[in-house]
Amino acid sequence: MGRRKKEPRSVHRENIVSAASALFMERGIAATSMDDIAKAAGYSKATLYVYFENKEEIVGILVLNSMKKLDDYISSALMRQEATKARYDLICRGLVQYQEEFPFYFKMVLDKINIDFESKNYLPEEKETYQIGEEINDKIKSFLLSGMEKGDLRRDLEIMPAIFNFWGMLSGIIQLAANKEEYINKSMGLSKIKFWNMAFLLFTMRLRQRGDDYE
C-alpha cells in the first residue's frame, strides 16, 4: 500500500476503472457493487471512495472512454475512402471490430446519454460524452451530404432524422449479425460482409424511394 501512495491519482483511478469494467462485463452494472469493485481492484472500500464518489462516476468514465473509441473507429473509416459505398463498408468494419472488442460498450454508447447541462447536476464526463457524440453525428452528416452530392443518396434528405435512421439501422444490423451469425450463414448463406451489403442496398433504396430521378 505504501508504494501505491506514491503513484499519481490518475493511476489509482485507472486501476479502479479497469477492475470495474471487467466486473460490469461479467455481471452487469446493476449487479456490481462498490465493494465488489474495491475488492477486484485491490483497494479498501474506504480508499475507493477517495477516488470515486459513487458507481455512477465510474460508469460515466467508461461511457466516455467508449465514445472516444467509437469516434476513433468512425474517423478512421471516413478518412480512408471517398466513395460512398466504400466508406459505408469501412464504417461497418470499424463498428464490427468495435463491437467484437468491446461488446459491453457497444451497447452502452447506444444507450440514453445525458443532454441536460443547464443545471449543475451532471458529471463532467457526461458533457464530454455528449460533445463527442455530436462530433460523431457531424462526421456522419458529412458522409451523408457527400453521398447526396454524388447522387448515391437522395438530395432532399432531412439530415438529423437520416443520421439517426442510419445509426439505428447500422447498430441493429451489426448487433443482429453478431448475435445471429451462425443462423444468417446457415439459413441465408450470407457472410457478415454480404449481410452488411444487403443492408446498404436496403438503406439506399429507402432513402431514394421517393425520388429515384432527381438529376
Side-chain angles (χ1 to χ4, degrees):
M1 295 299 289
R3 180 181 59 83
R4 279 185 172 173
K5 290 180 181 178
K6 295 180 181 179
E7 293 174 339
R9 180 182 178 83
S10 60
V11 172
H12 295 290
R13 285 172 63 86
E14 287 173 9
N15 290 340
I16 293 166
V17 167
S18 178
S21 176
L23 289 175
F24 292 159
M25 284 190 283
E26 178 184 349
R27 307 178 183 181
I29 295 173
T32 302
S33 67
M34 288 291 274
D35 192 45
D36 295 330
I37 295 170
K39 289 178 181 177
Y43 294 83
S44 69
K45 192 172 181 180
T47 301
L48 186 68
Y49 280 105
V50 170
Y51 299 105
F52 292 98
E53 291 185 7
N54 49 47
K55 185 168 65 173
E56 286 70 29
E57 187 179 354
I58 299 174
V59 172
I61 289 175
L62 288 170
V63 173
L64 173 58
N65 291 344
S66 181
M67 190 68 83
K68 288 178 179 178
K69 292 181 187 296
L70 179 58
D71 185 35
D72 288 341
Y73 280 112
I74 297 297
S75 298
S76 176
L78 294 178
M79 288 174 61
R80 290 166 57 190
Q81 289 287 345
E82 291 296 328
T84 304
K85 179 58 169 59
R87 295 177 107 189
Y88 170 84
D89 287 342
L90 287 173
I91 290 172
C92 281
R93 290 174 187 274
L95 289 178
V96 168
Q97 182 181 353
Y98 175 56
Q99 189 275 335
E100 289 176 346
E101 291 183 11
F102 311 101
F104 179 74
Y105 302 114
F106 180 82
K107 295 178 181 178
M108 187 175 282
V109 295
L110 296 172
D111 205 351
K112 181 178 179 180
I113 64 172
N114 186 15
I115 62 172
D116 179 14
F117 304 110
E118 293 183 4
S119 67
K120 295 183 179 180
N121 189 26
Y122 64 86
L123 297 170
E125 292 79 13
E126 291 181 316
K127 188 168 186 179
E128 189 174 353
T129 296
Y130 170 78
Q131 291 169 337
I132 293 174
E134 290 297 282
E135 291 172 8
I136 293 173
N137 283 340
D138 283 341
K139 289 167 186 173
I140 298 301
K141 177 181 177 179
S142 296
F143 163 69
L144 293 176
L145 288 173
S146 174
M148 291 161 65
E149 290 172 359
K150 293 172 182 175
D152 298 325
L153 303 176
R154 265 180 41 206
R155 291 179 179 172
D156 61 343
L157 286 177
E158 294 182 43
I159 290 299
M160 283 309 295
I163 290 172
F164 274 78
N165 270 276
F166 181 83
W167 276 122
M169 181 206 72
L170 201 54
S171 60
I173 288 294
I174 288 173
Q175 191 64 62
L176 182 65
N179 294 340
K180 302 288 186 179
E181 181 176 5
E182 185 177 347
Y183 178 82
I184 290 169
N185 182 263
K186 184 176 180 180
S187 65
M188 307 175 202
L190 295 177
S191 64
K192 279 184 179 181
I193 294 176
K194 290 182 178 180
F195 193 60
W196 306 331
N197 287 338
M198 181 178 291
F200 177 80
L201 291 174
L202 291 172
F203 182 64
T204 53
M205 284 171 60
R206 179 182 179 189
L207 291 177
R208 298 178 63 171
Q209 64 184 345
R210 291 209 312 256
D212 288 329
D213 185 11
Y214 47 75
E215 293 296 333

